[in-house]
Amino acid sequence: GKSTLVDLIYGFREPSSGTLLFDQSDYRNLKLYDLRGQIALVRGIEIFHGTVEENIRLGITDLDSAELRKILGTVGLLATAESLPEGLQTELTTGGRPLTPGQSYRLMLARALALRPRVLILDEILDRMEDGPELDNLLEALIHPDNSWTLVVVSRSQNVLKHCLHTIELGTH
């Protein structure tokens, strides 16, 4: 189902039959490292002990502070990050404290956007955020036509799905 499809797109699995293409090239002919450099997958919270900024950058050196702030604004986390005791230099625990779970998911989104992906996969993380204007604003920002990525959203939430331009329903047999 959905998880298998996401695993195929991200390169965790190879197709058992048929062909999966990326830029007209068979996935099996691509180097996994190159593929992963173009696809960002957000599935859960993976925050390590370090600052907010370190948790977003993950060693990306060509991300300037203006772009970092823009990304935080896009995911709706800029005001929260700035209000922390030491702003972006506030230390987070493994797991994300002092951030709430919803804020931690937004941090994971910021990390994914910092990678400048061509394909952004969100595997049910939007379902774990509270419905309301903040989620609607995030969805509008993620699906904006000027974005440089193709967005793949896995969701069971009708509120999330109503924002998507195309939907594919996967069933079980």
Side-chain angles (χ1 to χ4, degrees):
K2 331 183 269 314
S3 295
T4 301
L5 180 60
V6 168
D7 288 353
L8 285 168
I9 295 169
Y10 193 64
F12 282 144
R13 297 180 187 209
E14 287 189 15
S16 56
S17 63
T19 306
L20 185 60
L21 301 176
F22 187 80
D23 285 341
Q24 315 308 314
S25 298
D26 190 311
Y27 257 41
R28 289 168 251 211
N29 298 331
L30 300 173
K31 293 180 180 170
L32 191 56
Y33 176 82
D34 294 334
L35 184 65
R36 296 261 173 87
Q38 299 182 60
I39 301 174
L41 170 62
V42 184
R43 220 176 215 159
I45 297 172
E46 298 173 8
I47 297 176
F48 58 88
H49 185 264
T51 67
V52 171
E53 184 172 353
E54 289 168 341
N55 268 278
I56 296 169
R57 284 186 185 274
L58 281 184
I60 298 171
T61 57
D62 65 341
L63 183 69
D64 65 34
S65 62
E67 188 175 0
L68 180 65
R69 295 172 74 72
K70 181 181 177 190
I71 289 169
L72 285 167
T74 298
V75 302
L77 198 57
L78 182 59
T80 298
E82 289 178 334
S83 72
L84 293 170
E86 295 178 48
L88 295 178
Q89 300 312 309
T90 299
E91 291 276 331
L92 302 176
T93 64
T94 301
R97 287 191 168 182
L99 300 178
T100 66
Q103 292 166 341
S104 295
Y105 283 117
R106 289 174 187 271
L107 184 71
M108 295 297 88
L109 276 171
R111 178 187 293 167
L113 297 183
L115 295 171
R116 301 177 189 107
R118 292 185 50 216
V119 178
L120 175 60
I121 306 170
L122 307 180
D123 190 359
E124 295 190 348
I125 67 148
L126 298 172
D127 295 4
R128 298 178 194 131
M129 295 182 187
E130 280 188 41
D131 281 338
E134 285 184 358
L135 180 59
D136 290 339
N137 291 341
L138 173 61
L139 284 159
E140 291 299 322
L142 291 172
I143 65 166
H144 196 277
D146 292 340
N147 291 333
S148 59
W149 56 78
T150 297
L151 181 63
V152 177
V153 175
V154 177
S155 177
R156 296 172 192 231
S157 166
Q158 289 304 311
N159 186 44
V160 170
L161 295 174
K162 75 180 181 186
H163 290 273
C164 297
L165 298 176
H166 305 282
T167 59
I168 300 170
E169 187 172 332
L170 298 179
T172 57
H173 297 262

